[in-house]
Amino acid sequence: MTDDAAPHPSPAEPTVVPLTRAAQVDSLWRDVLAPSFPPDELTSPDDLRAGLTSGELTAYGVERDGQVVAGIVASWSRATQVLLVDYLALAPGHRGGGVGGRLLDRSLAGWREELHPVIVLAEVEHPGHHPVHPTHGDPAARLRFYARHGARALALPYFQPGIGGPGSPRVPAMLLVALGTEPGAGSVPAAAVRGFLLEHLRECEGTVPGDTAVRRLLDAAAGQSVTLVDPAHAEALAAVPVAVLEGAERYAPPAPGASGPADPAGSAGSA
């Protein structure tokens, strides 16, 4: 998930630093993340602090006058060696000037040196299914930003799992993009992608559900490789399957014995 980052040239390149101190982390959540993302896409400040302390999360940012004005947060999986960029955002009033691009490039370089990930992934709203939001930004601009920095979309019907656990809402029609791939690369190893998906579902929803949305997603990563497409080309992007989610698919399945959210449109069923 990312907030907008404009491509304008900057008179002075911002200094990108790891965000580790408590004051930095508090400012990151309060001044950058909270104003930039809807509640169902945003982790809590307590979980952000805990993840950065444990090493499950890693963050870089740009500070001005003691305030974090741009930040990027990623989840690191030691088991799969996959890094997921959870958030990239600029504080309101600080957008533009090339800060977002500088932040992305510097953090990717730092993660490659420190963690050596097999793949670096990010979640981006599909611009054909998510409208411009007056506060949370323009999905089309967001995707263009990533494409300028070499991002390629994975041909998967991806959705953001319900980050609140069983019964929580999922975010439909998301794109999963690979960052920092080799120029001209047409695919990524399916085993790494599938391993990431399984772990991500367990961490967010408490299990790997058997509903149709999950089956479609995992089936798309069941071969030897997952195709990459250039999201800047409309025809290529149109070939990426979209997880629109219908009925019960819109929510992480409830825990055993619990009731799921009411669905007047009917249920899609679970396996």
Side-chain angles (χ1 to χ4, degrees), residues 38-240:
D40 60 352
E41 296 182 16
L42 186 61
T43 190
S44 71
D46 289 342
D47 287 345
L48 177 64
R49 294 186 203 100
L52 290 170
T53 299
S54 70
E56 295 177 1
L57 297 178
T58 173
Y60 285 85
V62 175
E63 290 183 282
R64 288 178 182 162
D65 300 322
Q67 175 190 350
V68 176
V69 299
I72 185 169
V73 181
S75 302
W76 170 237
S77 168
R78 294 181 178 87
T80 65
Q81 300 290 290
V82 173
L83 190 75
L84 173 67
V85 175
D86 297 303
Y87 305 104
L88 190 162
L90 279 68
H94 293 271
R95 295 168 184 168
V99 176
R102 179 74 171 178
L103 176 60
L104 178 60
D105 293 342
R106 287 288 183 170
S107 57
L108 282 173
W111 288 326
R112 288 194 195 100
E113 181 178 347
E114 178 186 0
L115 301 173
H116 308 288
V118 174
I119 312 173
V120 180
L121 300 171
E123 299 169 317
V124 187
E125 293 173 331
H126 194 302
H129 296 265
H130 291 270
V132 175
H133 191 282
T135 301
H136 304 136
D138 181 356
R142 207 169 291 144
L143 190 58
R144 288 194 299 270
F145 162 75
Y146 267 131
R148 285 195 301 272
H149 290 267
R152 295 294 178 265
L154 279 68
L156 297 172
Y158 186 72
F159 58 91
Q160 182 188 309
I163 62 175
S168 60
R170 294 165 167 171
V171 181
M174 297 292 285
L175 294 169
L176 194 63
V177 302
L179 305 174
T181 58
E182 292 294 327
S187 65
V188 289
V193 174
R194 188 178 177 88
F196 158 76
L197 293 172
L198 291 170
E199 182 177 83
H200 193 43
L201 284 162
R202 288 191 193 99
E203 289 182 350
C204 293
E205 301 192 352
T207 186
V208 178
D211 61 280
T212 53
V214 170
R215 290 200 301 269
R216 286 193 300 265
L217 177 58
L218 295 179
D219 286 349
Q224 294 297 312
S225 61
V226 177
T227 300
L228 297 175
V229 303
D230 185 350
H233 294 137
E235 290 185 3
L237 186 61
V240 175

